[in-house]
Amino acid sequence: MAPRYDAVVVGAGFGGMGAGIQLDRLGLSDYVILERENDLGGTWHVNHYPGLAVDIASVTYSYSFEPNPYWSRLFAPGAELKKYAAHVADKYGLRRRMRFGVVVDGARWDVDQEHWVVTLAGGETITGRYLLTATGFLSQPYTPPFPGIESFAGKIIHTTAWEDDFDLTGRKAAVIGTGATAVQLVPEAAAKVAELTVFQRTPIWVVPKVDVPIPAAVQKLFARVPAAQKAARMVNTSLLEAVMVLGVLHFDRARPLNRAAGLLAKAHLRVQVRDKEIRRKLTPHYDFGCKRPTFSNSYFAVFNRPDVRLETESIDHIEADGIVTADGRKTEIDTLILATGFDLWDVNFPAIEIIGRDGRDLGKWWRDNRFQAYEGITVPEFPNFLSLNSPYSYSGLSYFTTIEAQMKHMGRLFGEMRRRGAQTFEVSEAANARFLAEVTERLGSSVFYAGDCSTARSYYFNPHGEAALLRPNSTVSTHRRAVGFPLADYTFGSGAETPARSA
Ligand code: NAP
C-alpha cells in the first residue's frame, strides 16, 4: 500500500521549513509539516518575552539563499525573526503543507509497507515514505520541581509562555535562572518592576554586544546589491567560525584566545558593576565556552540598581508569598518568572517516540548505548528517517549552518536514491560507528574535555557527562562532508524488499 505522503516532517521551525524547501527541490513535493503550536516559526513563535533578540548577527542567522535586506539592527529583535519565518513560508509555498495544533505522539517504521506510520495525539495516523523530525533542541520548557511551587499565590510565568498583556509594572518579582534568556529579560523586567531578585545558581559569561541599528541606506544597498549583504555575511560567519573552531573546538591549541574572551567578559563586568562582592558572585569559575556565552550591554549594570538584588543562596522551597533559600531567608514576591530553560536530555532526544526496525526504540537505544547519529542526521535500523536535531548535529554557532548542511546531505542522499530508482535508505552500523569514534576523538581537544567545565552545569553535556550536542568540526568541513560523504555508508532498497545490510 502506498503511503499517503512522500514525507512527514515534524516541526515548523526553521529546521522543518528548510527540510520542506529541500524536499520540493528534490521533487518530493507531496509532504506534510506537522506542528504542535498554532503557527510556524518554532522557537521564534514560542518565545516572545521582553528583550528577545538574536545573539548571532542577522546577516548570518538566516537562510543563505533567502537573505533579508531589511533587518532593523545588527542583532534583530525576536519579532523580526518570526516575520522572516512567515515570509519564507509564504514565498516557498510551505504554509499550505503545514498542519498546526497537531501533537505527534510517535512514529513507527512499518517493515512490510516500508513506510513510516505517524501517530497523532487523538489516534489519527498518517503514513509517509520518509520521516524527518525537526523538533528543535530547545523546545521542551523546563520547570524545576521546587518544593511548594504549587502553593505560590502570585503569578508564575515561564519565559516560553510569556503573556504579552502581562504588566510587570510595580511588581515584586523574582527571576530564577541566569542563562541567555534571563540575560535578555532581566534588564527589561528591572525597568518596570518595583523590586527584582535574580536567583543565580551558576554565573554566566557575558561579553559586550556590538549592536547598532542598520540605517535605511544600508538596507537599500543590501536590497539592490545582494552581493554586499553576502559579503557582510561572509565576514561575520568567518569571525564566528574562528571563535568556534579556535576558542571551543581546538581549545588545547588556542587557550590564549579562550582566555582573552574570558578577560573581555571580566573587564566588561568590572566596568559595569561597582560592588566588588557582586562582581565576585557574577564571575564564572569554568572556562569560557563550556556553556553558551551571552552578549549584553545592559545585564550586568542592572545589579547596580537599589531595587535589584542578586541572590546566590540555593532555593530550598517556595511558599505562597515568596522563595525561601537554604539559609532560611524568605524573599517576598508576587511574581515568579522562570527563566529556567529547557529539558534537552531527558525528554528531547528524541522529542517523540520513534520505533525503527525490529522494534528498536530510538530514545531507549540512545540511552542504553550512547547518544549518536551518523553525520548528526541518520541512525542505523531507522530506514528512511532523518533526525535533524540529533546528537552531534549542531555545527557552528548559527543554527542555519546546521540546517543548510543537512539540506545538502538530503540533496546527496535523495539524489543517489533517484539515480538508483531506490525507495529506501539506511545508514550502516559501520559508518555510524566510524562517525561516533571520529567525533569522540575530536572532542578530546575541545574546551568540553581539555578545559575546565566541572562547575558549568552546561546543557551541552548529557547526564553521562558526554558533550554530545555540538559537532566538533568546522562548518566548512561539515558542509564539505554533506556533499561528499561516502554513498557506500548507506544501503539502498528498491522498495520491494528490505535493503541489503552492510557488514
Ligand atoms: P539555560 O541556559 O538552560 O538557563 C537556565 C537557567 O535556569 C540556568 O541559569 C540554570 O542554572 C537555571 N536553573 C535551572 N534549574 C534551576 C534550579 N533548580 N535552581 C536554580 N536555577 C536553576 O536556558 P535559557 O536561558 O533559556 O537559554 C537556553 C539557550 O537558548 C541558550 O543557551 C541559547 O542557546 C538559547 N537562547 C538564545 C537566545 C538568543 O539568541 N536570542 C536567547 C535566549 C536563549 P544552572 O546554570 O545552575 O543550571
Side-chain angles (χ1 to χ4, degrees):
M1 216 170 73
R4 166 64 188 83
Y5 292 104
D6 290 334
V8 176
V9 181
V10 185
F14 282 122
M17 289 183 9
I21 292 168
Q22 188 67 334
L23 286 169
D24 271 328
R25 288 174 179 167
L26 294 164
L28 295 163
S29 295
D30 189 13
Y31 63 88
V32 64
I33 301 179
L34 306 174
E35 170 57 55
R36 73 178 173 190
E37 303 295 334
N38 60 10
D39 200 359
L40 56 87
T43 202
W44 300 103
H45 169 67
V46 170
N47 287 285
H48 40 90
Y49 57 81
L52 176 69
V54 282
D55 62 2
I56 300 290
S58 300
V59 281
T60 294
Y61 193 88
S62 43
Y63 297 108
S64 63
F65 55 85
E66 189 54 44
N68 170 20
Y70 302 111
W71 299 118
S72 67
R73 306 186 65 83
L74 223 47
F75 294 86
E80 287 186 33
L81 268 295
K82 165 89 171 133
K83 207 170 138 202
Y84 173 69
H87 158 77
V88 173
D90 290 336
K91 178 165 174 182
Y92 291 83
L94 301 173
R95 211 182 274 272
R96 66 192 159 86
R97 270 67 168 264
M98 292 176 178
R99 278 182 64 185
F100 297 115
V102 173
V103 175
V104 176
D105 271 351
R108 176 178 289 274
W109 174 247
D110 184 322
V111 73
D112 299 319
Q113 303 293 338
E114 297 193 314
H115 63 218
W116 283 93
V117 181
V118 179
T119 307
L120 312 185
E124 185 190 345
T125 57
I126 294 176
T127 54
R129 174 80 61 209
Y130 307 105
L131 172 67
L132 297 89
T133 49
T135 43
F137 295 101
L138 302 163
S139 51
Q140 316 291 347
Y142 175 63
T143 296
F146 295 117
I149 192 168
E150 67 293 339
S151 68
F152 183 64
K155 175 83 177 167
I156 300 184
I157 191 160
H158 194 285
T159 53
T160 55
W162 200 263
E163 294 161 31
D164 293 336
D165 55 359
F166 176 59
D167 188 5
L168 282 166
T169 308
R171 296 235 166 206
K172 278 166 77 175
V175 171
I176 301 181
T178 52
T181 299
V183 167
Q184 293 184 335
L185 173 72
V186 162
E188 301 287 324
K192 290 208 157 170
V193 297
E195 281 173 33
L196 180 67
T197 307
V198 178
F199 285 81
Q200 169 189 281
R201 188 166 65 177
T202 309
I204 188 156
W205 288 109
V206 184
V207 290
K209 189 170 187 179
V210 186
D211 187 18
V212 288
I214 300 181
V218 175
Q219 294 181 23
K220 265 191 203 147
L221 173 73
F222 284 169
R224 280 203 203 124
V225 189
Q229 193 173 17
K230 226 178 192 175
R233 181 184 176 106
M234 200 183 270
V235 170
N236 183 60
T237 306
S238 306
L239 278 172
L240 293 176
E241 184 77 345
V243 169
M244 183 71 183
V245 171
L246 293 174
V248 176
L249 301 182
H250 292 299
F251 173 84
D252 60 342
R253 276 181 268 159
R255 273 172 212 259
L257 186 83
N258 187 291
R259 294 249 159 81
L263 287 175
L264 173 66
K266 280 185 184 167
H268 185 45
L269 176 60
R270 201 175 176 80
V271 168
Q272 293 222 329
V273 178
R274 288 189 292 272
D275 187 285
K276 201 174 162 192
E277 179 58 11
I278 297 178
R279 281 207 303 267
R280 187 186 64 75
K281 289 179 174 171
L282 287 168
T283 305
H285 293 289
Y286 53 87
D287 281 324
F288 193 90
C290 290
K291 200 168 189 158
R292 189 169 170 118
T294 56
F295 306 82
S296 174
N297 301 330
S298 50
Y299 175 67
F300 283 148
V302 151
F303 296 101
N304 294 323
R305 293 175 63 127
D307 50 358
V308 177
R309 192 168 66 82
L310 178 67
E311 176 59 71
T312 54
E313 192 63 49
S314 63
I315 296 168
D316 184 77
H317 67 277
I318 295 177
E319 296 183 353
D321 58 348
I323 301 178
V324 180
T325 41
D327 57 3
R329 281 181 295 118
K330 187 194 304 190
T331 302
E332 289 189 2
I333 54 165
D334 56 28
T335 304
L336 174 54
I337 300 171
L338 296 168
T340 45
F342 303 87
D343 192 338
L344 261 85
W345 295 105
D346 285 342
V347 292
N348 202 41
F349 283 109
I352 56 171
E353 183 184 68
I354 296 177
I355 309 291
R357 194 191 294 291
D358 299 331
R360 182 181 279 189
D361 178 325
L362 183 60
K364 185 171 175 345
W365 184 72
W366 272 341
R367 281 158 185 81
D368 289 351
N369 296 274
R370 286 176 62 193
F371 286 91
Q372 53 193 288
Y374 171 74
E375 294 286 327
I377 193 167
T378 48
V379 187
E381 301 286 314
F382 292 85
N384 288 11
F385 172 48
L386 297 172
S387 171
L388 302 180
N389 300 104
S390 280
Y392 306 110
S393 62
Y394 200 108
S395 185
L397 286 173
S398 166
Y399 183 33
F400 284 87
T401 57
T402 306
I403 293 172
E404 293 194 23
Q406 294 187 326
M407 289 170 74
K408 286 178 181 167
H409 192 106
M410 285 171 68
R412 180 164 170 80
L413 183 58
F414 286 102
E416 179 64 7
M417 302 259 289
R418 196 172 42 223
R419 201 180 64 76
R420 290 171 178 246
Q423 297 267 28
T424 61
F425 67 81
E426 185 176 337
V427 71
S428 72
E429 298 271 9
N432 177 61
R434 194 184 69 232
F435 182 77
L436 181 61
E438 181 195 325
V439 290
T440 305
E441 206 250 293
R442 291 182 70 90
L443 274 167
S445 52
S446 73
V447 69
F448 307 122
Y449 295 98
D452 178 6
C453 293
S454 55
T455 59
R457 285 183 188 270
S458 168
Y459 65 73
Y460 290 160
F461 291 86
N462 67 24
H464 306 293
E466 295 169 318
L469 192 64
L470 300 188
R471 178 175 176 151
N473 285 121
S474 69
T475 58
V476 175
S477 91
T478 301
H479 278 247
R480 207 180 293 132
R481 283 274 283 269
V483 294
F485 62 83
L487 290 165
D489 286 352
Y490 283 96
T491 49
F492 298 93
S494 67
E497 80 283 336
T498 303
R501 301 283 187 80
S502 294

